[in-house]
């Protein structure tokens, strides 16, 4: 996989086309595995896309007693393997981003796996292929580095200081995530 996911939360316009595309993706059983959340529903209507951050050391996989959540050589954290998942829901409680969901009717966990059937061949995941505002992009590493540099420069010009939040330390370097 030569390309990476790049998120710019403030670009999200709340259209939910990423969710619709995710439902249509093959193998997703018509279930969306990404979400569009409100920054603060009572303050504004600003939304942001929320999909699996493909953590370096994923809590969902670490807390799974059945070892049902596998990580590919590319670092993609996959949904729980049905034949191994025991339905304990530890993964849903362990994820700091709240991404894994549990289907009680089918007794299985599902989550965003970056459309691995597509991304392993450098084809954009469904959510990135339909996002009209480029809040979700599937780009080359060099392009991401250029965007990061430009963004850092703009933040310095605007007087913004970087902030640290504990849960973002789990996000790998190859996954560009930005929000103001």
């Amino acid at each position: 996989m030569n390309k990476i996911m790049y998120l710019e939360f403030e670009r999200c316009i709340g259209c939910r086309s990423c969710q619709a595309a995710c439902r249509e993706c093959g193998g997703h059983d018509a279930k969306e595995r990404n979400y569009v959340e409100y920054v603060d529903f009572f303050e504004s209507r600003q939304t942001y896309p929320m999909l699996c951050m493909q953590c370096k050391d994923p809590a969902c996989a670490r807390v799974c007693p059945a070892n049902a959540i596998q990580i590919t050589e590319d670092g993609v954290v996959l949904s729980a393997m049905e034949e191994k998942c025991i339905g304990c829901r530890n993964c849903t409680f362990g994820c700091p981003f709240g991404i894994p969901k549990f289907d009680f009717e089918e007794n299985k966990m599902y989550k965003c796996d970056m459309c691995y059937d597509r991304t392993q061949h450098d084809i954009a995941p469904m959510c990135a292929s339909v996002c009209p505002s480029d809040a979700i992009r599937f780009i080359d590493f060099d392009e991401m580095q250029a965007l990061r540099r430009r963004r850092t420069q703009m933040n310095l010009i605007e007087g913004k200081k970087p902030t640290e939040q504990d849960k973002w330390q789990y996000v790998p370097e190859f996954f560009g995530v930005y929000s103001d």
Side-chain angles (χ1 to χ4, degrees):
M1 190 164 56
N2 297 321
K3 295 192 175 195
I4 56 171
M5 291 294 283
Y6 183 79
L7 303 177
E8 284 189 271
F9 289 153
E10 69 278 357
R11 285 178 162 262
C12 181
I13 59 174
C15 67
R16 291 176 166 65
S17 60
C18 56
Q19 288 180 291
C22 188
R23 276 192 305 271
E24 297 299 318
C25 189
H28 284 191
D29 302 323
K31 293 183 185 331
E32 56 206 34
R33 295 167 183 226
N34 60 2
Y35 313 97
V36 174
E37 305 284 347
Y38 286 98
V39 173
D40 185 346
F41 185 77
F42 296 108
E43 293 293 322
S44 76
R45 296 297 178 252
Q46 177 62 47
T47 56
Y48 62 95
M50 201 64 221
L51 44 127
C52 182
M53 295 295 143
Q54 306 301 326
C55 299
K56 290 184 264 190
D57 183 22
C60 62
R62 254 193 351 259
V63 300
C64 179
N67 198 27
I69 301 171
Q70 301 297 306
I71 304 164
T72 70
E73 289 179 15
D74 297 323
V76 177
V77 183
L78 302 174
S79 281
M81 296 175 0
E82 287 184 50
E83 60 276 5
K84 284 188 168 186
C85 182
I86 59 173
C88 68
R89 298 185 304 151
N90 283 357
C91 55
T92 63
F93 302 120
C95 175
F97 300 99
I99 296 300
K101 301 298 181 212
F102 191 78
D103 185 332
F104 287 95
E105 291 176 11
E106 296 188 29
N107 196 40
K108 69 178 183 179
M109 178 279 262
Y110 59 95
K111 63 173 268 320
C112 168
D113 58 7
M114 270 182 48
C115 295
Y116 190 65
D117 57 327
R118 296 169 56 94
T119 56
Q120 68 181 337
H121 301 293
D122 281 340
I123 300 169
M126 294 296 285
C127 58
S129 68
V130 300
C131 182
S133 64
D134 281 339
I136 305 171
R137 290 187 250 179
F138 192 61
I139 59 176
D140 293 321
F141 184 79
D142 292 337
E143 187 178 351
M144 183 204 60
Q145 292 294 70
L147 286 167
R148 280 183 160 184
R149 279 191 294 279
R150 188 172 73 219
R151 188 150 181 124
T152 301
Q153 290 166 348
M154 289 308 298
N155 284 345
L156 290 173
I157 290 168
E158 295 171 8
K160 295 178 181 172
K161 295 181 180 177
T163 59
E164 281 295 322
Q165 293 181 352
D166 288 339
K167 68 181 179 181
W168 297 109
Q169 72 185 355
Y170 299 106
V171 180
E173 292 81 24
F174 71 81
F175 204 92
V177 177
Y178 285 97
S179 68
D180 286 333

